[in-house]
Amino acid sequence: MKLPKTYTYLKKDLDVIESSLMEAIQANHPVLREASTQLLKAGGKRIRPVFVLLSSQFGTVSIEQITKVAVSLELIHMATLVHDDVIDDAELRRGMPTIKKQYGNRVAMYTGDYILARALETITQIDNAELHKTLAEALVEVSLGEIQQIKDKYNWDQNIRSYLRRIKRKTALLLALSCKLGAMTSGITPSEVKKLYEYGYYIGMSYQIIDDILDFTSSAEELGKPSGNDLYQGNVTLPVLYAMRDENFNRLVRETFANPDEVSKEKMECIISRLKETDAIDMSYQLSERYLKKAFRALNGFPHNKAKITLEQIAKYIGKRKQ
Amino acid sequence: MERELQHLKQQIKEKVRHSFLLQHIDNPEIDEYKLYFLQQILNKTTLAPKVKEQLIITTMLVQIALDIHEQIPDYKGEQGPSINVESQLSILAGDYYSGLYYYLLAEIEEREYITVLATAIKHINELKMELYYLNDYTIENYLNIKKEIQITLIKYIADHVRVTEELPVMAELLLLNYMIHTNDIFVEIDKQSVLEAQVNKTKGMLEGLQVEDGYKQNLVKILHTIVYQHTALEMD
């Protein structure tokens, strides 16, 4: 997700957050510091800090508190990425070697645990019991979602509801939380906080569905990994679930993955091409679009300020995302 | 006292229970010595019983989370075998238990203790890195860092509630327990003599400890349990 040009007015605040992020990961041990810094410098969209900032602009902004919330959420996200790369045996992230690849599993585990601890040290500087209950509950949910994702691998009998629940925990929850915590910190009404939470949630759902579509429709060069890689790894995403309503495709998938270790490149290409012959991609786009519309609707009633315009632009950008 | 410990163990077991996880990973081990030490420290405070209990449970959850992550096979440089489902779930279990400690303390609005535990985790991971990249390797250096890793969680809690008198002897007991259960660092060194030295050091510290008799006897009992159950060493 690239920053739209109108984000430039956030640059100063985002720079403060970036410096605070850098400060937060200055470990004493040189390798721990180097590994965390490398991860931070690899960039990323900083969409969580952006959402925290934007959602705070409907109330009274305390940049000090907002920075703490934004830094903590980004650190939590980073810690998750480091451990996910061990789980997925990933060698590259954003074109750079993963911590796991460069330093090994053990250092990756220590780095992830260290970064998560820094996130909690930072957020607990804020004296707001409700905020901590909300964040803690979400953190547990995110972990449970990751466990569920492993449980659901190669489960061809799962339904769309379980897919939606999984992507909620995987992607939408932290985005929704970024909006909610940003809003909570700025002292707006509970119903406004709820609306911004919904905006983040719907955006997250739409974003993840498009991500899952692109896994089939983008080229290996665009994705930086083979097309259909999610399915190859056993992750049953929305396009697959829609396509499996077709009896022939359903049979093909079950037969092909009867022995997951023996799925060849040719077999994967065949599955992808057959999936594209069904209406699965269209149907998936339609569902993503429905979530986007809900995201727009959640913003109704907010004053027409720069923050609202930017949130709408982000939603439009997601709708048009092709890679 | 024993009933209270059993109750705490039961509570911890309930918190870590997750049917799918436990189908694939071993039941997380609860370090009973650490549990006992925490209980002893917190019983000397005026904290409300509910806070004490949650603090012990959450500290042990953090310990379990850190211990589980320590079990992930380390592959570096040349690609090792693909990570298996058990290891994947061990990583996620550790993350889940870390989330739970935050959740449980947030529920009872004990923000300060969330910070205390987070700072301890940060420190422990620094120490683990120091050990992993130990340049000046001697068995003394190695064991000193190990000892610190073993005691750090308890130390941060003890420092916060200002009950720190017994920390040095607790650290020696935990180190002794670690030494008895490990062999890989004693390849070129006579384990027996290092152990004997550690036992004598711990005994000496116990003798000089100014605490009530019953508690002191318990600590001596722990020393005996650690040594007798797992070694051929003889105690006076």
Side-chain angles (χ1 to χ4, degrees), chain A residues 28-29 87 105 121 124 133, chain B residues 73 88 102 109 111 119 126:
Chain A
N28 293 328
H29 195 279
I87 292 171
N105 285 353
E121 267 192 319
T124 47
K133 285 178 193 173
Chain B
Q88 290 176 324
Y102 180 30
E109 302 187 6
R111 183 171 57 95
T119 308
E126 291 266 18

Side-chain angles (χ1 to χ4, degrees), chain B residues 196-209:
Chain B
E196 274 173 15
Q198 179 64 19
V199 170
N200 289 333
K201 182 180 178 186
T202 313
K203 267 170 65 183
M205 288 175 81
L206 271 172
E207 277 159 20
L209 196 63

Side-chain angles (χ1 to χ4, degrees), chain A residues 119-136:
Chain A
L120 296 190
E121 267 192 319
T122 306
I123 197 83
T124 47
Q125 288 169 28
I126 299 176
D127 185 6
N128 182 335
E130 211 46 52
L131 180 144
H132 293 299
K133 285 178 193 173
T134 308
L135 177 59

Side-chain angles (χ1 to χ4, degrees), chain A residues 27-29 83 87 89 91 104-106 109-110 113-114 117-118 120-121 124 126-127 132-133 135-136, chain B residues 69-70 72-75 79 82-83 88 92 95 101-103 109 111 115 118-119 122 126 128-129:
Chain A
N28 293 328
H29 195 279
H83 285 179
I87 292 171
D89 257 337
E91 300 198 352
N105 285 353
R106 193 57 59 82
M109 295 315 300
Y110 297 160
D113 285 345
Y114 172 85
R118 289 297 292 126
L120 296 190
E121 267 192 319
T124 47
I126 299 176
D127 185 6
H132 293 299
K133 285 178 193 173
L135 177 59
Chain B
H69 280 174
E70 200 64 21
I72 307 303
D74 190 23
Y75 305 125
Q79 186 76 8
S82 293
I83 191 160
Q88 290 176 324
L92 295 176
D95 292 346
Y101 102 75
Y102 180 30
Y103 176 79
E109 302 187 6
R111 183 171 57 95
T115 319
T119 308
K122 178 183 77 175
E126 291 266 18
K128 285 180 173 179
M129 288 292 287

Side-chain angles (χ1 to χ4, degrees), chain A residues 7-241:
Chain A
Y7 273 33
T8 44
Y9 71 96
L10 293 178
K11 193 179 177 304
K12 205 173 124 201
D13 291 341
L14 283 170
D15 285 346
V16 172
I17 291 169
E18 201 66 21
S19 308
S20 303
L21 276 168
M22 189 58 87
E23 205 177 304
I25 53 158
Q26 293 309 302
N28 293 328
H29 195 279
V31 180
L32 189 54
R33 191 166 60 237
E34 194 181 293
S36 312
T37 307
Q38 188 177 307
L39 181 69
L40 184 69
K41 283 190 172 165
K45 301 140 198 153
R46 304 283 186 260
I47 192 66
R48 290 152 200 84
V50 167
F51 275 179
V52 173
L53 275 175
L54 290 170
S55 300
S56 73
Q57 317 250 324
F58 298 101
T60 315
V61 184
S62 151
I63 190 64
E64 200 191 327
Q65 291 220 342
I66 289 298
T67 301
K68 286 185 176 110
V69 172
V71 165
S72 302
L73 288 173
E74 193 62 15
L75 289 176
I76 289 170
H77 174 61
M78 281 170 63
T80 315
L81 295 183
V82 181
H83 285 179
D84 281 353
D85 287 338
V86 182
I87 292 171
D88 298 337
D89 257 337
E91 300 198 352
L92 288 174
R93 175 165 292 282
R94 295 170 192 143
M96 305 276 284
T98 57
I99 294 179
K100 170 228 142 58
K101 170 72 178 166
Q102 192 162 347
Y103 303 97
N105 285 353
R106 193 57 59 82
V107 173
M109 295 315 300
Y110 297 160
T111 309
D113 285 345
Y114 172 85
I115 295 176
L116 180 64
R118 289 297 292 126
L120 296 190
E121 267 192 319
T122 306
I123 197 83
T124 47
Q125 288 169 28
I126 299 176
D127 185 6
N128 182 335
E130 211 46 52
L131 180 144
H132 293 299
K133 285 178 193 173
T134 308
L135 177 59
E137 200 179 335
L139 262 189
V140 170
E141 273 291 300
V142 169
S143 302
L144 288 173
E146 291 220 47
I147 294 166
Q148 188 66 35
Q149 182 162 323
I150 291 189
K151 193 178 175 184
D152 285 344
K153 275 191 176 185
Y154 303 109
N155 174 10
W156 312 115
D157 295 317
Q158 63 184 283
N159 55 28
I160 289 179
R161 207 171 149 192
S162 60
Y163 162 81
L164 294 175
R165 186 160 184 231
R166 202 165 60 240
I167 66 165
K168 174 189 173 182
R169 287 159 146 183
K170 179 183 175 180
T171 306
L173 206 52
L174 268 189
L175 293 182
L177 204 68
S178 306
C179 294
K180 184 172 181 175
L181 299 190
M184 275 171 86
T185 320
S186 68
I188 57 176
T189 67
S191 77
E192 287 172 320
V193 172
K194 186 168 173 277
K195 287 277 173 205
L196 286 165
Y197 172 88
E198 285 170 358
Y199 166 84
Y201 166 71
Y202 292 134
I203 285 285
M205 296 297 280
S206 176
Y207 180 84
Q208 188 57 51
I209 291 172
I210 292 179
D211 227 38
D212 292 340
I213 295 171
L214 294 175
D215 187 55
F216 291 104
T217 57
S218 296
S219 65
E221 292 72 42
E222 287 166 332
L223 290 169
K225 57 184 178 180
S227 285
N229 193 51
D230 286 341
L231 178 58
Y232 182 71
Q233 302 280 347
N235 293 317
V236 186
T237 57
L238 188 63
V240 179
L241 288 170

Side-chain angles (χ1 to χ4, degrees), chain B:
Chain B
M1 188 75 75
E2 185 57 30
R3 255 179 58 191
E4 198 185 320
L5 276 173
Q6 287 309 320
H7 168 74
L8 286 166
K9 269 181 81 171
Q10 198 50 39
Q11 292 283 311
I12 297 163
K13 280 183 184 167
E14 276 172 29
K15 299 290 180 231
V16 298
R17 190 172 295 144
H18 182 291
S19 58
F20 179 68
L21 278 181
L22 298 185
Q23 274 170 32
H24 294 272
I25 64 170
D26 292 337
N27 237 320
E29 218 167 288
I30 300 169
D31 187 323
E32 297 194 8
Y33 301 127
K34 287 180 185 163
L35 179 62
Y36 176 71
F37 294 159
L38 274 171
Q39 184 206 33
Q40 287 305 315
I41 288 167
L42 290 171
N43 277 347
K44 289 185 180 169
T45 68
T46 53
L47 288 171
K50 183 72 197 162
V51 175
K52 270 188 223 174
E53 182 175 300
Q54 287 300 79
L55 198 48
I56 294 172
I57 292 170
T58 49
T59 309
M60 292 309 294
L61 279 176
V62 170
Q63 187 64 60
I64 289 169
L66 293 169
D67 291 345
I68 290 182
H69 280 174
E70 200 64 21
Q71 291 164 14
I72 307 303
D74 190 23
Y75 305 125
K76 56 178 180 174
E78 286 303 305
Q79 186 76 8
S82 293
I83 191 160
N84 60 23
V85 175
E86 287 71 26
S87 294
Q88 290 176 324
L89 287 171
S90 295
I91 296 172
L92 295 176
D95 292 346
Y96 171 52
Y97 300 147
S98 294
L100 268 187
Y101 102 75
Y102 180 30
Y103 176 79
L104 292 171
L105 289 175
E107 277 292 296
I108 56 164
E109 302 187 6
E110 287 294 340
R111 183 171 57 95
E112 263 181 53
Y113 288 111
I114 302 169
T115 319
V116 170
L117 287 176
T119 308
I121 297 168
K122 178 183 77 175
H123 189 171
I124 288 169
N125 283 290
E126 291 266 18
L127 288 167
K128 285 180 173 179
M129 288 292 287
E130 202 180 320
L131 195 67
Y132 191 76
Y133 287 101
L134 193 60
N135 288 326
D136 181 19
Y137 185 89
T138 63
I139 192 80
E140 288 77 18
N141 281 349
Y142 186 92
L143 290 177
N144 272 333
I145 301 174
K146 260 291 170 193
K147 181 167 70 181
E148 226 185 312
I149 291 172
Q150 293 287 327
I151 197 68
T152 295
L153 264 183
I154 296 173
K155 183 182 178 305
Y156 271 79
I157 297 288
D159 284 345
H160 194 77
V161 297
R162 295 186 184 148
V163 180
T164 56
E165 298 81 3
E166 298 109 59
L167 274 176
V169 74
M170 286 174 176
E172 299 303 335
L173 283 166
L174 291 175
L175 177 64
L176 183 60
N177 189 42
Y178 164 76
M179 287 164 69
I180 283 171
H181 289 92
T182 193
N183 286 317
D184 49 358
I185 55 165
F186 295 109
V187 179
E188 290 172 14
I189 296 157
D190 174 26
K191 182 172 178 178
Q192 192 77 1
S193 63
V194 183
L195 269 184
E196 274 173 15
Q198 179 64 19
V199 170
N200 289 333
K201 182 180 178 186
T202 313
K203 267 170 65 183
M205 288 175 81
L206 271 172
E207 277 159 20
L209 196 63
Q210 302 288 321
V211 290
E212 57 168 286
D213 285 350
Y215 179 36
K216 194 165 177 171
Q217 276 166 16
N218 275 342
L219 292 176
V220 172
K221 210 167 118 189
I222 286 177
L223 174 66
H224 283 222
T225 312
I226 292 173
V227 177
Y228 281 144
Q229 276 189 357
H230 304 284
T231 70
L233 288 182
E234 290 184 4
M235 297 272 294
D236 315 326

